[in-house]
């Protein structure tokens, strides 16, 4: 069994995984409820704000949601995320220490890779569901298609610069299961508490594979 089996199951829940930067933990639960209601159950809360761990705790209680922690960089990040209720982890890259911490905590990991060598190194460790990051800066869908030709056993979640205008380019690739995107939860809409608007954006994103 690959280390990525559970991660792949989570990634397959919807075509888009919202990448969320939460500044106010009180907004976490209604934000998660809106995204889940719109058809995007897998949620990545990036550990980029002081409110992130509290946001994960709140979102972990939302029925139907699967909340993960993004921007995992250190083993301490992994332990804190798991303790907060994260059900999976996402990292911009991968180190031996980070992978070991995730395995010790039994936290499914979506590790980042931008090159064929990075992808091959992770494949050696049993990881065959990877984050392609930063997607657009690394050559976009054409680059990911090219990497996939010699490495068909690896599937990806491209993240970084993915938008409504280019998401289908990625999702049409045979080696892409989902993509990570932040546009489904615009900062202004979150600040305004426009949960119905966010639910609408989520519903549009959820239909991208139709």
């Amino acid at each position: 069994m690959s280390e990525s089996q559970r991660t792949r199951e989570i990634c397959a829940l919807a075509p888009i995984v919202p990448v969320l930067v939460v500044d106010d933990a009180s907004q976490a639960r209604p934000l998660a409820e809106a995204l889940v209601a719109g058809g995007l159950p897998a949620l990545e809360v990036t550990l980029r704000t002081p409110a992130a761990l509290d946001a994960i705790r709140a979102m972990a209680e939302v029925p139907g949601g699967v909340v993960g922690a993004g921007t995992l960089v250190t083993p301490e990040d992994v332990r804190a995320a798991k303790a907060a209720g994260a059900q999976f982890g996402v990292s911009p890259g991968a180190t031996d220490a980070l992978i070991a911490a995730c395995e010790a905590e039994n936290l499914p990991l979506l590790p980042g890779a931008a090159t064929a060598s990075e992808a091959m190194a992770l494949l050696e460790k049993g990881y065959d569901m990877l984050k392609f990051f930063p997607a657009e800066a690394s050559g976009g869908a054409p680059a990911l298609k090219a990497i996939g030709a010699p490495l068909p056993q690896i599937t990806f979640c491209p993240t970084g610069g993915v938008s409504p205008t280019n998401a289908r380019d990625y999702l049409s690739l045979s080696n892409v299961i989902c993509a990570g995107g932040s546009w489904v939860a615009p900062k202004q809409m979150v600040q305004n508490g426009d949960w119905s608007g966010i639910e609408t954006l989520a519903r549009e994103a959820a239909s991208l594979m139709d």
Side-chain angles (χ1 to χ4, degrees):
M1 187 182 86
S2 85
E3 296 293 344
S4 297
Q5 184 170 329
R6 177 58 184 149
T7 310
R8 181 177 288 99
E9 290 170 359
I10 294 168
C11 286
L13 291 172
I16 300 298
V17 175
V19 180
L20 308 170
V21 180
V22 181
D23 294 303
D24 181 351
S26 71
Q27 296 170 325
R29 184 175 182 114
L31 172 58
E33 288 172 342
L35 292 166
V36 171
L40 303 181
L43 311 170
E44 177 191 340
V45 178
T46 60
L47 299 187
R48 299 181 197 174
T49 69
L53 291 171
D54 285 335
I56 290 171
R57 286 187 191 94
M59 290 187 177
E61 297 177 358
V62 174
V66 181
V67 62
T71 325
L72 297 179
V73 177
T74 67
E76 290 74 26
D77 291 340
V78 173
R79 289 189 281 271
K82 177 75 175 195
Q87 294 171 265
F88 67 99
V90 185
S91 60
T95 66
D96 290 343
L98 185 74
I99 289 171
C102 285
E103 291 176 357
E105 292 289 333
N106 198 25
L107 186 71
L109 176 65
L110 180 67
T115 67
S117 293
E118 290 169 356
M120 289 165 63
L122 284 162
L123 184 63
E124 279 186 358
K125 297 178 186 294
Y127 291 84
D128 54 14
M129 175 74 225
L130 311 179
K131 176 167 95 161
F132 181 58
F133 176 83
E136 280 293 286
S138 299
L144 188 51
K145 181 179 181 180
I147 287 175
L151 298 171
Q153 66 272 58
I154 302 177
T155 47
F156 292 89
C157 171
T159 306
V162 180
S163 70
T165 56
N166 62 20
R168 288 185 189 275
D169 296 338
Y170 288 103
L171 294 171
S172 67
L173 299 178
S174 61
N175 60 338
V176 169
I177 286 186
C178 65
S182 58
W183 80 86
V184 291
K187 189 169 186 175
Q188 199 61 53
M189 290 176 80
V190 174
Q191 288 177 344
N192 294 343
D194 184 3
W195 311 125
S196 63
I198 288 173
E199 182 179 337
T200 298
L201 290 175
R203 191 164 282 112
E204 292 168 354
S207 69
L208 281 169
M209 284 287 216
D210 293 350

